[in-house]
Amino acid sequence: MGYLFFSILCYALNNVLWKKSLEKGSVSLIMTYRAFFTSLITVFGVVVLDLEWMSNAELWRITVGSFIGVVGLVCMLLVIKRASLQWVGIYNLTGVFFATIYLVFVKHISIYVSLLGGVIIIVGFSLFLCASRETQLKITLKEHVLLLLMTLCFSGASIIQWENLTAHISPLLILANQEVMVLFLGVLWVLRQRKKIDIIGQSKIFLKPVVIMSIIILLAQFLGLLGLKITDPFIASLVYLATPLTTIVFSVIFFKEKLSWKNIVAIVLIALGAFLVHCSERY
């Protein structure tokens, strides 16, 4: 359980570092810069460990999952550059509902518990929207659309990669594919914006933060895998519901964002709904 706890802290801290870096830096450059280090490390790990390669069909499935995940990452970064980090936590909690829809229709889990949890999530989310209208948490319709797309992409990518893991494909191979995909698409994005970005200048400024972010996110993923290996999968995935909540707490601590009592009640409702939806996987 200790591995999972520290993994959650690392994931939430990684979101904070994204936010801090993006306040003054380019989304495309920082995303690509970090992917350079993470892909270098993961590919090196694949080569050194001499992992068994996958079939073309498996490679295609992993790549599709990675691409969808990158789209979600881009949407998230575009939002947190200008908006509160709390919204990422809120939408990530609601993402449990979308993932469960897949389980209801494909894996035939209990629809009754899922439906109750979904209703509570909707009520909590609606309350959070109303409570945020007159505060610094208010965001635009475009940002809501980006967050919704982020949630759908992250949920879809997690389902695809979960299927890959159950097919006994090495997690390191999946991770390396994902980071290389971020790097590839990021390079294309930077080249398209090269006239608007001081590539050399920002590369020097953000070298230290990007290296730290790379280490933290890989540490989070590594600890998560260790925790999953020695813990019941249900408990491990349930603990990860704390990651969005930790992100919200960190946004209050590091960015001095305030939460009204209505916001707190809404977050509790969303977390409760996510808990019920998640528990439906056991029935």
Side-chain angles (χ1 to χ4, degrees), residues 32-85:
T32 307
Y33 205 8
R34 198 199 73 167
F36 170 76
F37 291 104
T38 53
S39 59
L40 192 65
I41 295 171
T42 52
V43 170
F44 178 77
V46 169
V47 173
V48 169
L49 295 176
D50 192 24
L51 298 176
E52 181 180 352
W53 196 241
M54 66 203 86
S55 66
N56 290 335
E58 291 172 333
L59 177 60
W60 170 252
R61 193 168 64 240
I62 292 173
T63 303
V64 170
S66 297
F67 176 79
I68 295 174
V70 174
V71 174
L73 175 64
V74 171
C75 291
M76 183 189 81
L77 298 182
L78 289 174
V79 171
I80 65 174
K81 181 175 176 63
R82 303 182 182 277
S84 169
L85 195 60

Side-chain angles (χ1 to χ4, degrees), residues 10-278:
C10 287
Y11 274 120
L13 183 59
N14 178 68
N15 289 335
V16 170
L17 293 176
W18 270 126
K19 174 72 173 174
K20 284 185 173 294
S21 298
L22 292 174
E23 286 179 342
K24 297 182 180 180
S26 162
V27 173
S28 59
L29 181 63
I30 294 178
M31 184 187 80
T32 307
Y33 205 8
R34 198 199 73 167
F36 170 76
F37 291 104
T38 53
S39 59
L40 192 65
I41 295 171
T42 52
V43 170
F44 178 77
V46 169
V47 173
V48 169
L49 295 176
D50 192 24
L51 298 176
E52 181 180 352
W53 196 241
M54 66 203 86
S55 66
N56 290 335
E58 291 172 333
L59 177 60
W60 170 252
R61 193 168 64 240
I62 292 173
T63 303
V64 170
S66 297
F67 176 79
I68 295 174
V70 174
V71 174
L73 175 64
V74 171
C75 291
M76 183 189 81
L77 298 182
L78 289 174
V79 171
I80 65 174
K81 181 175 176 63
R82 303 182 182 277
S84 169
L85 195 60
Q86 291 183 34
W87 283 108
V88 173
I90 292 297
Y91 270 89
N92 278 336
L93 280 173
T94 62
V96 177
F97 178 69
F98 293 110
T100 305
I101 292 177
Y102 165 81
L103 294 174
V104 167
F105 290 100
V106 178
K107 302 298 182 180
H108 306 295
I109 64 173
S110 171
I111 190 173
Y112 300 107
V113 180
S114 302
L115 185 61
L116 175 61
V119 171
I120 295 176
I121 287 175
I122 292 173
V123 172
F125 185 75
S126 300
L127 179 59
F128 193 90
L129 284 177
C130 294
S132 303
R133 285 180 178 177
E134 305 301 328
T135 68
Q136 81 275 18
L137 296 178
K138 183 178 181 181
I139 60 177
T140 65
L141 177 60
K142 178 182 178 181
E143 289 168 333
H144 276 297
V145 172
L146 286 172
L147 285 169
L148 178 59
L149 182 58
M150 173 203 78
T151 305
L152 292 173
C153 286
F154 282 165
S155 298
S158 64
I159 289 170
I160 293 173
Q161 303 299 26
W162 177 73
E163 293 286 359
N164 290 328
L165 285 172
T166 56
H168 304 293
I169 299 175
S170 168
L172 185 57
L173 282 174
I174 296 174
L175 184 58
N177 179 279
Q178 175 182 293
E179 295 306 315
V180 169
M181 177 65 71
V182 176
L183 179 62
F184 174 72
L185 296 178
V187 168
L188 295 180
W189 194 6
V190 169
L191 290 175
R192 185 175 181 181
Q193 295 185 326
R194 63 186 180 280
K195 295 182 179 180
K196 303 178 182 179
I197 304 174
D198 180 8
I199 297 178
I200 297 178
Q202 288 198 26
S203 297
K204 293 179 180 179
I205 294 173
F206 292 105
L207 176 60
K208 183 177 178 180
V210 165
V211 171
I212 293 174
M213 288 169 62
S214 302
I215 295 173
I216 288 177
I217 190 59
L218 290 177
L219 183 62
Q221 293 165 332
F222 177 70
L223 291 174
L225 291 174
L226 284 179
L228 184 60
K229 184 177 181 180
I230 64 176
T231 309
D232 180 272
F234 176 79
I235 295 177
S237 54
L238 189 59
V239 170
Y240 271 114
L241 287 178
T243 302
L245 295 175
T246 308
T247 297
I248 293 173
V249 172
F250 276 16
S251 71
V252 174
I253 296 174
F254 289 99
F255 301 104
K256 311 301 179 184
E257 297 174 352
K258 296 181 180 180
L259 283 174
S260 67
W261 67 269
K262 290 183 179 179
N263 289 126
I264 295 174
V265 171
I267 292 171
V268 170
L269 286 174
I270 295 172
L272 175 61
F275 173 79
L276 290 175
V277 167
H278 189 81

